[in-house]
């Protein structure tokens, strides 16, 4: 089955700096890669996703890049703010016809004011 | 309505109790999921319902029993749980049976087994 590795497990940045979280996946058939943000005591929320026919996607301060050849994808957050502090999970899915998301172990991001 | 609603938000139950968790969505999603999440861990898939039929059971112990009465509702019946079953139980839904659009998670039920 699919295996998703996520690094780092914890990340501290100064407010205004950039944060990068990286994930690798094992199954070359995976073609959909969402990122979830989970604040303490709250539900995971989808913040951005990318499909395997796209190399990069941006949404304001958040961007995701995908390298299919190397089987890795990354989340980039620019101009970090204290409200970006949360646990971020990457995930991989084989897309259409698949019900399952395989999650990475999560990255706890702390933005220091 | 773009939400998945779960009730109750918190539940404390004894090991001999029977209780149920409820999940409701009105987005027309045809796939619904139960996940279990322990502290500082990613969500773990338990069950998947697609078009109201159970399509995936991730070898979950029989003390957890899912039910999908209709396309908008999903229940999880609990009986004779163990303290190690204490966790956040998350319901999620997605359009049809695909994950191409990501999940919408409910707020979860925080379960404590005493």
């Amino acid at each position: 089955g699919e295996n998703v590795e996520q690094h780092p497990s914890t990340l501290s940045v100064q407010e205004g700096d950039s944060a990068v979280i990286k994930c690798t996946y094992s199954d070359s058939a995976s073609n959909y890669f969402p990122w979830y943000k989970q604040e303490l005591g709250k539900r995971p929320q989808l913040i951005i996703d990318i499909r395997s026919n796209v190399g990069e996607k941006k949404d304001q301060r958040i961007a995701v890049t995908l390298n299919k050849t190397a089987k890795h994808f990354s989340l980039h957050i620019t101009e970090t703010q204290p409200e970006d502090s949360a646990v971020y999970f990457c995930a991989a899915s084989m897309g259409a016809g698949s019900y399952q998301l395989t999650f990475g172990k999560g990255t706890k991001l702390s933005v220091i004011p | 309505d773009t939400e998945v609603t779960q009730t109750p938000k918190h539940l404390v139950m004894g090991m001999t109790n029977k209780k149920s968790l409820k999940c409701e969505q009105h987005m027309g999603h045809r796939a619904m999921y139960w996940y279990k999440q322990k502290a500082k861990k990613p969500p773990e898939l338990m069950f998947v319902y697609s078009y109201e039929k159970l399509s995936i059971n991730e070898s979950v112990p029989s003390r957890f029993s899912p039910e999908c009465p209709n396309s908008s509702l999903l229940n999880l019946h609990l009986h004779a749980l163990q303290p190690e079953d204490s966790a956040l139980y998350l319901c999620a839904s997605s359009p049809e049976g695909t994950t191409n659009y990501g999940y919408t998670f409910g707020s979860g039920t925080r379960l404590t087994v005493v």
Side-chain angles (χ1 to χ4, degrees):
Chain A
E2 175 64 279
N3 181 49
V4 176
E5 305 243 346
Q6 183 172 348
H7 298 280
S9 56
T10 59
L11 179 60
S12 290
V13 299
Q14 291 292 135
E15 182 177 357
D17 287 351
S18 295
V20 180
I21 302 170
K22 298 182 180 181
C23 290
T24 60
Y25 61 99
S26 60
D27 194 331
S28 56
S30 291
N31 61 7
Y32 173 68
F33 307 93
W35 286 87
Y36 288 86
K37 174 184 180 182
Q38 188 173 25
E39 297 176 62
L40 189 62
K42 297 194 175 179
R43 76 185 84 186
Q45 288 196 291
L46 178 68
I47 55 171
I48 196 166
D49 56 14
I50 193 166
R51 292 171 179 76
S52 59
N53 58 348
V54 175
E56 183 176 3
K57 183 176 178 180
K58 287 184 180 179
D59 183 3
Q60 300 183 333
R61 296 185 297 109
I62 294 173
V64 58
T65 58
L66 172 65
N67 183 327
K68 282 180 61 180
T69 304
K71 290 192 279 190
H72 66 70
F73 56 112
S74 300
L75 178 71
H76 304 253
I77 306 173
T78 58
E79 300 173 21
T80 54
Q81 300 168 3
E83 52 265 37
D84 295 328
S85 296
V87 178
Y88 291 81
F89 293 102
C90 63
S93 164
M94 287 189 275
S98 172
Y99 299 97
Q100 292 177 269
L101 283 178
T102 302
F103 286 90
K105 291 191 174 179
T107 296
K108 183 177 180 182
L109 173 64
S110 299
V111 179
I112 304 162
Chain B
D1 188 351
T2 58
E3 288 198 351
V4 175
T5 303
Q6 286 187 246
T7 56
K9 293 193 185 308
H10 301 274
L11 178 63
V12 179
M13 61 185 290
M15 290 189 282
T16 58
N17 291 162
K18 285 185 181 181
K19 296 286 184 182
S20 296
L21 309 185
K22 297 186 184 301
C23 174
E24 189 169 3
Q25 58 87 15
H26 295 288
M27 295 178 280
H29 289 177
R30 302 313 299 267
M32 296 185 75
Y33 310 79
W34 281 116
Y35 274 85
K36 173 183 177 180
Q37 187 177 29
K38 300 283 257 184
K40 301 183 181 180
K41 300 286 186 184
E44 295 175 42
L45 183 64
M46 299 175 73
F47 302 105
V48 179
Y49 273 83
S50 176
Y51 291 87
E52 301 158 50
K53 288 185 167 44
L54 181 65
S55 59
I56 295 177
N57 175 342
E58 289 287 342
S59 303
V60 179
S62 60
R63 58 186 183 268
F64 296 91
S65 176
E67 178 196 19
C68 188
N70 60 55
S71 61
S72 300
L73 294 174
L74 187 65
N75 298 323
L76 186 62
H77 303 296
L78 314 173
H79 173 55
L81 295 192
Q82 304 297 309
E84 59 264 29
D85 296 321
S86 298
L88 179 67
Y89 288 83
L90 291 161
C91 175
S93 69
S94 69
E96 299 183 343
T98 178
T99 54
N100 269 343
Y101 302 94
Y103 294 162
T104 300
F105 280 98
S107 295
T109 294
R110 191 160 298 281
L111 174 67
T112 303
V113 181
V114 297

